Amino acid sequence: MSNNIEGKVIVITGASSGLGLAAARLLCAQGARVVLGARRIDRLRQLADELNAGGMRAVAVETDVTVRADVERLADTAVQTFCRIDVMVNNAGIMPQSPLARLKVEEWDRTIDVNLKGVLYGVAAALPHMQRQMSGQIVNVSSTAGHKIMLNGAVYSATKHAVRALSEGLRQEVKDWNIRTTVISPGAVASELPDSSTEEDMKLRLDGFYKSVAIPADSFARALAFAIAQPEEMDVNEIVFRPIRQVP
Ligand SMILES: NC(=O)c1ccc[n+]([C@@H]2O[C@H](COP(=O)([O-])OP(=O)(O)OC[C@H]3O[C@@H](n4cnc5c(N)ncnc54)[C@H](OP(=O)(O)O)[C@@H]3O)[C@@H](O)[C@H]2O)c1
């Protein structure tokens, strides 16, 4: 019986670590072919080599999601290599934390560029292919911070709220092409995300929080696989999950 994942072509941004990497491993193990995007190409190539040990299943493409042409090349590579895109996972993200009063304006810009514009570029790159195919699924990664505002994380929370708004708008607009849309909002999941904070006190607090509650990254991979595996007529629009011990 088909798991509705086997054979699918799945593009994943931010696949060089954390949630994206765990997703690539799980989806490949379930028979998907994956096209991996991130800036650290050495890590992506290593992952692709690991996944390709049992046959041609993975391609690595150096991608900065803040550069529209890069994201287009990522999507185009999927089509050139595997002839289609079944799922686009807009996962790349950063989380520099600081009180607004510290005026880390460059970090605000960067967070918006990666977390929001990067997702928009992913939608723009995948949508024309999916419209032509008359099928597809776009998965955007938000956060529980896209539901609740985090202290010292206003800009991150704002981008993750925006990703949810964008995803709901997309859901309403792509019905005519049979395109499914999913937004996943994880709570604390062990990854390199806390490292994107440059303020030492913020990083220490986050490290402590993640050490006490975070769950492994394959939690995200299983949630993603669930949304993809459902029959095509079933559109899983939103998933929110947290570690059992996470309060906010
Ligand atoms: N971990 C959590 O607790 C948690 C909770 C809720 C939501 N999330 C979301 O989950 C997503 C993945 O984060 P993670 O937790 O897996 O963190 P991570 O381990 O730090 O991974 C982030 C990924 O994003 C990529 N990335 C960052 N900037 C990029 C850019 N400009 N262009 C392309 N790729 C870029 C990184 O690759 P390169 O550095 O190689 O480019 C890396 O692969 C993010 O959207 C994050 O907001 C995470």
Side-chain angles (χ1 to χ4, degrees):
M1 202 176 78
S2 162
N3 61 6
N4 207 25
I5 291 177
E6 193 169 356
K8 280 191 169 170
V9 178
I10 303 179
V11 179
I12 306 172
T13 68
S16 61
S17 72
L19 280 54
L21 185 149
R25 282 200 176 122
L26 182 74
L27 294 167
C28 243
Q30 298 191 356
R33 296 167 289 173
V34 292
V35 181
L36 313 166
R39 292 164 306 171
R40 288 171 292 181
I41 188 65
D42 47 333
R43 283 201 187 193
L44 287 185
R45 288 205 179 111
Q46 208 178 335
L47 177 60
D49 288 347
E50 170 197 318
L51 300 175
N52 284 330
M56 177 59 183
R57 306 284 284 283
V59 180
V61 183
E62 188 172 349
T63 308
D64 183 336
V65 297
T66 69
V67 178
R68 186 176 168 200
D70 275 19
V71 188
E72 275 180 355
R73 194 179 60 229
L74 176 69
D76 291 349
T77 301
V79 175
Q80 282 153 16
T81 313
F82 297 121
C83 302
R84 55 188 294 111
I85 303 176
D86 294 297
V87 187
M88 176 82 193
V89 184
N90 293 308
N91 163 72
I94 57 172
M95 185 176 69
Q97 301 271 290
S98 61
L100 290 168
R102 290 190 197 171
L103 302 183
K104 306 277 291 181
V105 177
E106 282 177 11
E107 286 191 357
W108 302 349
D109 284 341
R110 182 109 197 111
T111 306
I112 291 165
D113 286 349
V114 177
N115 295 7
L116 180 53
K117 289 176 73 178
V119 170
L120 280 164
Y121 291 162
V123 171
L127 206 48
H129 297 295
M130 293 180 179
Q131 287 172 307
R132 203 186 51 251
Q133 294 166 189
M134 289 295 284
S135 70
Q137 182 170 12
I138 296 181
V139 181
N140 296 330
V141 180
S142 176
S143 167
T144 50
H147 295 252
K148 297 198 167 200
I149 317 298
M150 292 165 69
L151 181 66
N152 302 321
V155 177
Y156 179 75
S157 287
T159 62
K160 293 301 184 178
H161 276 74
V163 167
R164 286 183 57 226
L166 161 69
S167 303
E168 171 56 14
L170 184 67
R171 182 191 73 77
Q172 295 175 30
E173 291 182 26
V174 294
K175 301 281 167 197
D176 288 347
W177 298 280
N178 305 310
I179 297 169
R180 303 191 292 177
T181 62
T182 305
V183 57
I184 303 183
S185 297
V189 173
S191 75
E192 297 174 14
L193 197 64
D195 298 346
S196 54
S197 275
T198 56
E199 299 286 277
E200 204 45 44
D201 56 338
M202 297 294 129
K203 197 172 143 18
L204 273 175
R205 249 179 41 137
L206 270 178
D207 283 344
F209 175 66
Y210 270 74
K211 274 201 182 89
S212 67
V213 303
I215 53 176
D218 72 321
S219 54
F220 168 80
R222 281 181 276 112
L224 173 61
F226 170 82
I228 297 171
Q230 300 314 304
E232 291 301 315
E233 73 268 19
M234 178 168 164
D235 195 6
V236 178
N237 299 129
E238 185 145 17
I239 296 177
V240 185
F241 74 92
R242 290 176 173 81
I244 186 79
R245 297 186 58 210
Q246 181 179 338
V247 176

